[in-house]
Amino acid sequence: MSFSAPADQATWLPSQVAEPLHNDEQDVDYAGAARLDDPDLWSDDEGADASGPMLYGSTEENPLRQLRADLEAAAPFRGRSRRQKIRKPRIDAQTQAGFHESVQLGQANTALGEGDLTTAKELVEGIIGNNPKVFDAWLVLANVYELQEDFSRAYTAWLFAAGLRERSSAVWQSAARSAMRAEMFEEADHAYDRAIKTASDGDVEGLCDERIELLRSYDSTPKTRIECYKAMLRRNPHDMRYVRPLAEVYNTTAKPVQAIELFDEAADFWIASSDPRAREIFGFNQLNILAELYMTAADGNRRPFLWPKLVTRIRTISRWINFREAETFWDAKPLDDREFDEDDERRSELPQYHADAERVWQYDLPIELRLRLARARMTMGHTDEALRHFGCLLSQEEPSFDTADLFQDAGYFLMDRGMYTQAIDYLQPLLDVDQVGDPDLWSRAARCYIEVDELDAAEQCLMAVLQVDATDRDATLRLAEVYQRQNRRDQALELITQLMQQPAEDMVTDVQQPVAPQQDTTRTGTRRPKGTGKAKRRTAAEERRLTAQRQRESLLNASSTERGLQEDQKAEATDAAFRTLALLREDMLSGDEDALNTWSSTVLELSDDFRAIRTLYPYDKRQIFCGIEDGLEESETKKRRAAEPPIEADSLRGQSVDAWLRLFVQGAACLVVQGNSTDAFEVLGTAMAANVFYQHRDRMWALQKAKLLLAIKAGAAKVAQEVLRTILTDRPLHRDLMRLYCAIAPGGLDSQDAYDDDNFQKFMLRMIKALDLMTGLAGGAGETHRIRAGKDFEGNFRANRPTEHGIASTFMLYGMLVAAGRSYVPLLHYLARSQARCPAASKEDPMQHLLIALTYLHRAMQRQVDNRHLQVIQALSFFKPYQRLRYATGDHGLMQEADYNMGRAMQHLGLNHLALPFYDKVLAHHHTGQIDPKHDLAPSAAYNMHLIHSLGGATSKARELLHRYVTVV
């Protein structure tokens, strides 16, 4: 890093200053040993304090200067050894000044001492103008500017002086002090660095202390502070004056492990030290800092192995501080901390322990460390031991100014662990003392009271919060929840209504850079691109997506601190939205229109926020979700955590993943009920694309079932067919899924297009080829293709071995897909394969008999058939077992179906006299009253009979049938 003088130096420095400090033609060597110009050797004024005025000057009559000149003249003639390197004589940085310049320098010193700064400045500027290499002149000029409080120019003068005396630590120190007073912190840091490098061992410590204070006074880079503290620790190993600030820097830069290692090394050093001040240097305060570092590094359960180490360090170091380092027998009880009990009840169980009233103080533990020990025990699962430690806080007096934060931390920690009853024990004393009310304290206490079903106390706490801030959305929602649980439904709905009518607060800080307005090119003569005309108005869904995209961009452009604040605000907004939906859930289930609208809009907003979380949609599909914090961390933290085993997060913005799953499913159902199936499928698609769902089979199966049911409800046959295709990939050749595929196409051209889908036909063909591969039937020229096609299903086939009914249903479904294109020969082929592969299942399946019969019947009507009568006989041979299987059920609806199909086949062949008896049976089943009107075939049979009688001339009979069975009254 290079530093230069201020830009305005040309207005106050002589022109000669801009020239080089040394002549390039001269061979200058400032490291030579022949010169005696070191200030400590020849100048009495060099060691003066740089912060005050310094008088410099010399005359030619000075005997010390004359001695220096004589020694310089004799230097080239010194004897040297054979191996000694020849050193060139140093050139004096202060060239020999004439008598006039020496007199001026003395006059400048006199004026400086008398306080005449203007005269002193003019004199030294004249000297520098004639010879800018006069070291003493620069010192006088720097002191003049300091007395004038022009520290920026003073720093520049010190810098020029340091260029003449590069190894003068005092000059660099003076330059650093002037730069610091001028608030030129980076320049001051550079000057201190040079001063430390050139200082003697006795002065280094003081210079480092000054540099540390400088680094603390401005926003220096962590790397600079770390280097400074490390340099001090190399000179003073394990000095706590530098260990603590270095650990603090490590901790703030997300390097808590390095901070722990640094503190642990210092602790081990002082424990092994024989210094009598060791326990004062590393006492309970330092142990408390070490415990905090362990807790920060553990980060909940991200590094669970650190919690046992924390317990061990607290116990071991506390013994040493209390002069009990020899009592290692307490380590035999690693699951409890009885040595720190307030009485001897458990301590006396160990025979090595001897009670002594004078040594009771040696078993005390500061309450701060005791609470940290309690949190570690609670996290490790030692609940009873943790509550014993927490109880020591309750055994004290009422919360005071010094212990109030301890009560609050204990209560908040227990509340976060779900121990609401115990948390109230620590929060209630604070409520009694804090009559004015801290909103956060009262809000948390209200939550605890709600969880333990003390609703009256919760209501009082929430009312206290609303007295401080009447617009608190969180308190309002919780109060509505309390009213609802108290069966005060009207008051709860009133609060919710007021809350929804209020303008929503902007929960996210907008950190986007201002966008320059677009220029209107229509007036400047610039032609618009082709196809551009009037701007298309965005839909509500497009507006939401555009807003979410802008929020994502603003989050990416923000700093880590801003991203953290935005995420906290998002978490608060999410919690409020979830509680609002919980209050309106019963109204939503009952079909209340307002509740449905609120649910739908809120779910869409939450879905957009969910989609904006980058860690849920990683590039690598195998990457698990470890929390939103991973996306907010700096690159160094990400690299460090990448080397650690990942721990999957089970919550997102304060809500469990299962709660998010229920939200998406119920919200999509609300949208479908309102007729907005497009947004409903988009919400479910957002969830199914997130790694927290698709990496878990159960969650993904729940989403697939929900999407399938909602698609059937909305009549979206194509969406349902796509979901079924995905399900069939995991559960191939499942009979019920094949039947469901046929059921999702109730009728109409859209359903027919979805049913006769080319992609699904290819999908089914791949499954059949995979089935042939697994059963050993693949072979011939197409074997390679079959193997390639079956790879997708090989693992699923082995996990879910298909049954005969599933295989038969697969052949039958694919045959029907082929038949949709009026290809009857391939249909017969696959139906015949089904009969051959699964004879038992095919024999019991009436649908297969019906399909084969219809295929032969339709085949007989084609022109290419050689023997129509044979085709008809084959069709009738399959109609009979179909009719027998239907009659075997005893269900009048199925028997009616069989009779109708038989009559319709006869009518199709033109055998009307044979069709009428079957139609009569259809009407007879109708009169039994055991048929569902939705599936009754009597009107269709009566209409067909009407056509037959009309052709035969029995018009009265035809009209009677229409009037009785077909006419709607």
Side-chain angles (χ1 to χ4, degrees):
M1 182 181 298
S2 62
F3 299 91
S4 59
D8 59 346
Q9 66 176 7
T11 61
W12 60 275
L13 287 179
S15 60
Q16 291 85 346
V17 174
E19 298 178 358
L21 295 178
H22 306 293
N23 191 347
D24 294 340
E25 297 179 357
Q26 294 178 346
D27 192 1
V28 182
D29 183 9
Y30 283 101
R35 296 199 28 146
L36 298 179
D37 60 346
D38 193 304
D40 295 333
L41 293 179
W42 63 272
S43 176
D44 294 334
D45 297 328
E46 189 69 14
D49 188 5
S51 60
M54 302 171 61
L55 301 179
Y56 299 91
S58 59
T59 60
E60 295 182 357
E61 292 79 14
N62 191 330
L64 191 58
R65 182 173 294 278
Q66 185 63 36
L67 175 63
R68 175 176 61 93
D70 295 340
L71 290 175
E72 288 177 353
F77 302 100
R78 290 184 306 163
R80 59 180 179 84
S81 62
R82 185 174 299 176
R83 294 184 179 182
Q84 184 178 358
K85 185 178 179 180
I86 300 177
R87 295 179 180 268
K88 296 181 180 180
R90 263 189 181 176
I91 303 300
D92 191 358
Q94 176 183 347
T95 55
Q96 294 183 1
F99 176 79
H100 181 68
E101 293 174 350
S102 300
V103 171
Q104 284 183 326
L105 189 59
Q107 293 174 352
N109 281 325
T110 303
L112 179 64
E114 295 176 353
D116 189 358
L117 303 181
T118 303
T119 303
K121 178 182 176 182
E122 292 176 353
L123 290 172
V124 293
E125 284 181 352
I127 297 173
I128 294 173
N130 295 327
N131 187 1
K133 299 180 182 179
V134 179
F135 175 74
D136 296 334
W138 286 107
L139 298 184
V140 175
L141 183 61
N143 279 274
V144 168
Y145 283 126
E146 284 191 349
L147 293 175
Q148 291 179 343
E149 297 185 355
D150 191 351
F151 299 108
S152 175
R153 293 180 176 178
Y155 162 74
T156 305
W158 287 117
L159 199 62
F160 275 99
L164 300 173
R165 295 286 192 273
E166 293 184 355
R167 303 192 60 82
S168 176
S169 176
V171 177
W172 284 111
Q173 182 181 17
S174 300
R177 290 175 177 175
S178 295
M180 186 167 59
R181 293 172 184 171
E183 297 184 355
M184 302 164 61
F185 298 112
E186 294 184 0
E187 288 80 357
D189 179 61
H190 171 71
Y192 272 124
D193 181 65
R194 296 295 300 271
I196 292 172
K197 291 179 179 178
T198 57
S200 60
D201 294 339
D203 298 334
V204 169
E205 184 173 349
L207 289 172
C208 286
D209 291 338
E210 290 186 20
R211 189 183 183 190
I212 289 172
E213 292 299 326
L214 168 67
L215 296 176
R216 289 176 178 175
S217 62
Y218 82 104
D219 189 16
S220 59
T221 61
K223 182 179 180 181
T224 303
R225 284 179 285 171
I226 289 174
E227 292 177 353
C228 178
Y229 296 140
K230 283 185 176 180
M232 285 305 303
L233 287 175
R234 283 193 293 268
R235 296 177 178 270
N236 303 278
H238 311 295
D239 192 332
M240 297 308 298
R241 292 178 300 173
Y242 311 115
V243 169
R244 286 186 60 176
L246 179 56
E248 181 182 353
V249 176
Y250 278 141
N251 197 34
T252 55
T253 55
K255 297 179 180 179
V257 176
Q258 290 87 331
I260 290 175
E261 293 175 355
L262 179 69
F263 245 89
D264 276 337
E265 292 176 359
D268 295 337
F269 171 81
W270 291 111
I271 290 175
S273 175
S274 59
D275 192 334
R277 300 178 297 110
R279 289 177 175 84
E280 298 178 2
I281 296 174
F282 199 98
F284 281 116
N285 290 334
Q286 283 68 28
L287 179 57
N288 191 30
I289 297 174
L290 177 60
E292 180 65 25
L293 292 175
Y294 267 101
M295 293 172 61
T296 303
D299 192 14
N301 276 329
R302 185 175 294 275
R303 300 184 184 90
F305 60 90
L306 290 178
W307 292 110
K309 291 184 179 180
L310 169 60
V311 173
T312 302
R313 294 300 282 174
I314 291 178
R315 295 173 57 168
T316 304
I317 298 177
S318 297
R319 292 179 206 149
W320 171 74
I321 294 176
N322 287 330
F323 301 92
R324 294 190 298 110
E325 60 270 18
E327 296 183 2
T328 58
F329 54 83
W330 299 110
D331 296 334
K333 298 292 183 180
L335 300 181
D336 60 58
D337 307 309
R338 63 183 65 194
E339 59 179 307
F340 303 117
D341 287 353
E342 295 180 331
D343 52 42
D344 291 337
E345 181 179 355
R346 292 197 302 171
R347 284 199 291 260
S348 59
E349 296 178 2
L350 292 181
Q352 298 92 334
Y353 171 72
H354 302 286
D356 187 354
E358 296 181 357
R359 297 178 61 243
V360 173
W361 63 271
Q362 293 183 330
Y363 297 93
D364 289 338
L365 191 67
I367 190 62
E368 295 84 357
L369 280 172
R370 190 179 291 275
L371 294 183
R372 299 190 188 282
L373 197 58
R375 295 181 65 175
R377 288 294 186 184
M378 182 70 73
T379 308
M380 294 167 60
H382 306 159
T383 305
D384 294 338
E385 193 67 22
L387 292 178
R388 183 185 291 270
H389 286 299
F390 279 123
C392 295
L393 183 61
L394 292 176
S395 63
Q396 298 181 355
E397 299 179 356
E398 294 295 328
S400 62
F401 179 78
D402 296 330
T403 60
D405 58 334
L406 302 178
F407 277 83
Q408 182 173 324
D409 292 342
Y412 288 1
F413 176 77
L414 292 171
M415 185 190 71
D416 294 338
R417 303 287 296 187
M419 306 177 70
Y420 301 103
T421 304
Q422 292 81 356
I424 291 175
D425 296 337
Y426 297 90
L427 297 180
Q428 185 59 50
L430 296 177
L431 298 178
D432 298 337
V433 174
D434 187 13
Q435 296 297 332
V436 177
D438 176 12
D440 182 62
L441 172 64
W442 288 84
S443 179
R444 287 177 176 264
R447 179 183 172 187
C448 294
Y449 282 124
I450 292 174
E451 295 295 336
V452 299
D453 206 24
E454 295 185 16
L455 302 180
D456 293 337
E459 181 181 1
Q460 295 178 2
C461 293
L462 292 173
M463 293 299 294
V465 175
L466 293 176
Q467 288 179 359
V468 177
D469 184 6
T471 62
D472 193 324
R473 298 172 61 89
D474 180 79
T476 304
L477 286 171
R478 292 194 184 277
L479 185 58
E481 180 182 356
V482 170
Y483 286 158
Q484 186 180 29
R485 294 176 62 175
Q486 290 177 336
N487 294 325
R488 298 157 66 179
R489 190 172 184 79
D490 295 338
Q491 292 176 302
L493 290 177
E494 183 180 357
L495 287 176
I496 292 296
T497 304
Q498 294 176 358
L499 190 62
M500 300 305 296
Q501 290 176 352
Q502 292 177 0
E505 296 180 357
D506 187 11
M507 300 300 294
V508 181
T509 304
D510 189 5
V511 295
Q512 298 185 51
Q513 298 295 330
V515 180
Q518 297 182 355
Q519 296 181 355
D520 187 3
T521 59
T522 58
R523 298 185 179 181
T524 59
T526 305
R527 296 182 59 185
R528 286 176 179 243
K530 262 192 173 181
T532 61
K534 187 176 181 180
K536 183 179 178 181
R537 187 174 182 179
R538 299 188 184 96
T539 62
E542 292 173 344
E543 287 290 349
R544 290 196 312 272
R545 285 192 289 269
L546 183 60
T547 302
Q549 181 180 358
R550 289 173 178 172
Q551 292 177 0
R552 285 196 300 270
E553 293 175 355
S554 66
L555 189 64
L556 292 174
N557 296 330
S559 63
S560 59
T561 304
E562 292 172 340
R563 292 198 299 267
L565 292 175
Q566 292 181 28
E567 184 54 38
D568 292 341
Q569 294 171 345
K570 279 288 186 182
E572 294 177 3
T574 301
D575 183 64
F578 266 83
R579 282 189 274 111
T580 301
L581 298 180
L583 292 174
L584 298 176
R585 186 173 183 275
E586 294 183 2
D587 296 333
M588 179 269 294
L589 295 176
S590 63
D592 183 76
E593 190 66 25
D594 295 335
L596 285 173
N597 292 333
T598 303
W599 258 82
S600 300
S601 60
T602 305
V603 168
L604 288 175
E605 292 175 1
L606 290 175
S607 175
D608 293 336
D609 293 340
F610 188 88
R611 191 187 299 111
I613 301 174
R614 293 184 300 165
T615 51
L616 292 172
Y617 305 94
Y619 179 78
D620 185 2
K621 294 293 184 180
R622 297 169 298 177
Q623 181 178 341
I624 66 174
F625 176 69
C626 299
I628 303 180
E629 293 78 7
D630 284 357
L632 306 179
E633 291 171 343
E634 300 296 337
S635 57
E636 296 182 359
T637 307
K638 291 182 180 179
K639 293 179 182 179
R640 175 177 51 81
R641 290 197 172 182
E644 302 174 357
I647 300 176
E648 186 173 11
D650 56 355
S651 62
L652 176 64
R653 286 180 176 164
Q655 309 296 327
S656 65
V657 177
D658 293 334
W660 282 96
L661 176 63
R662 291 190 295 270
L663 171 78
F664 288 134
V665 172
Q666 294 175 356
C670 292
L671 291 168
V672 170
V673 169
Q674 292 184 312
N676 190 1
S677 59
T678 303
D679 285 343
F681 298 143
E682 183 179 352
V683 168
L684 293 177
T686 298
M688 297 172 74
N691 55 359
V692 290
F693 295 120
Y694 69 69
Q695 291 178 355
H696 294 266
R697 189 180 184 88
D698 295 339
R699 295 171 183 168
M700 197 64 179
W701 175 233
L703 288 171
Q704 288 173 345
K705 289 189 294 184
K707 189 173 183 179
L708 178 61
L709 294 175
L710 294 177
I712 296 174
K713 172 70 176 177
K718 289 188 177 182
V719 177
Q721 180 248 344
E722 292 175 358
V723 177
L724 267 176
R725 189 191 309 171
T726 305
I727 298 176
L728 279 170
T729 304
D730 297 331
R731 298 167 177 83
L733 305 182
H734 197 284
R735 181 187 183 187
D736 293 336
L737 294 177
M738 300 294 180
R739 298 169 65 182
L740 183 60
Y741 180 81
C742 298
I744 63 176
L749 295 177
D750 293 339
S751 298
Q752 183 178 354
D753 293 340
Y755 183 80
D756 187 19
D757 184 68
D758 293 338
N759 293 330
F760 191 74
Q761 283 192 22
K762 296 176 183 177
F763 174 79
M764 292 294 298
L765 183 59
R766 285 167 50 216
M767 279 205 302
I768 292 176
K769 291 179 178 180
L771 176 64
D772 293 342
L773 175 66
M774 298 301 299
T775 54
L777 296 181
E783 181 175 2
T784 303
H785 176 69
R786 290 174 183 270
I787 293 175
R788 190 183 305 114
K791 287 297 182 182
D792 297 339
F793 300 94
E794 182 177 354
N796 294 329
F797 274 147
R798 296 185 185 279
N800 304 287
R801 195 70 180 180
T803 62
E804 284 196 4
H805 290 284
I807 296 174
S809 300
T810 302
F811 284 119
M812 184 174 62
L813 176 58
Y814 186 70
M816 288 189 293
L817 293 175
V818 174
R822 299 186 183 278
S823 301
Y824 299 116
V825 175
L827 171 59
L828 287 173
H829 169 73
Y830 285 103
L831 292 177
R833 289 189 61 182
S834 175
Q835 295 277 339
R837 288 286 304 274
C838 312
S842 301
K843 185 178 180 180
E844 299 174 359
D845 191 352
M847 284 300 298
Q848 285 205 23
H849 294 285
L850 177 61
L851 286 175
I852 295 174
L854 291 176
T855 303
Y856 278 117
L857 188 62
H858 289 295
R859 177 66 175 163
M861 299 296 106
Q862 293 182 336
R863 293 180 302 170
Q864 297 88 352
V865 178
D866 297 332
N867 193 340
R868 300 180 189 277
H869 297 285
L870 180 59
Q871 299 289 335
V872 172
I873 292 173
Q874 288 177 331
L876 294 177
S877 66
F878 282 96
F879 267 119
K880 295 304 291 183
Y882 159 69
Q883 186 183 24
R884 176 178 51 80
L885 291 172
R886 287 304 195 197
Y887 265 82
T889 61
D891 187 352
H892 284 277
L894 297 179
M895 291 189 290
Q896 186 190 50
E897 173 200 312
D899 290 329
Y900 177 81
N901 286 330
M902 289 295 295
R904 186 68 184 85
M906 296 304 173
Q907 186 180 3
H908 186 72
L909 294 172
L911 303 175
N912 294 334
H913 64 287
L914 297 179
L916 288 175
F918 290 106
Y919 287 145
D920 288 334
K921 291 181 180 180
V922 172
L923 299 179
H925 291 301
H926 167 74
H927 292 299
T928 60
Q930 299 181 15
I931 299 178
D932 186 359
K934 294 182 180 180
H935 304 96
D936 192 2
L937 296 173
S940 299
Y943 181 76
N944 293 340
M945 293 176 69
H946 151 74
L947 296 177
I948 295 173
H949 288 300
S950 297
L951 291 175
T955 56
S956 60
K957 181 66 173 177
R959 283 195 300 268
E960 180 184 355
L961 289 170
L962 288 177
H963 179 73
R964 185 174 182 182
Y965 296 101
V966 181
T967 304
V968 178
V969 181

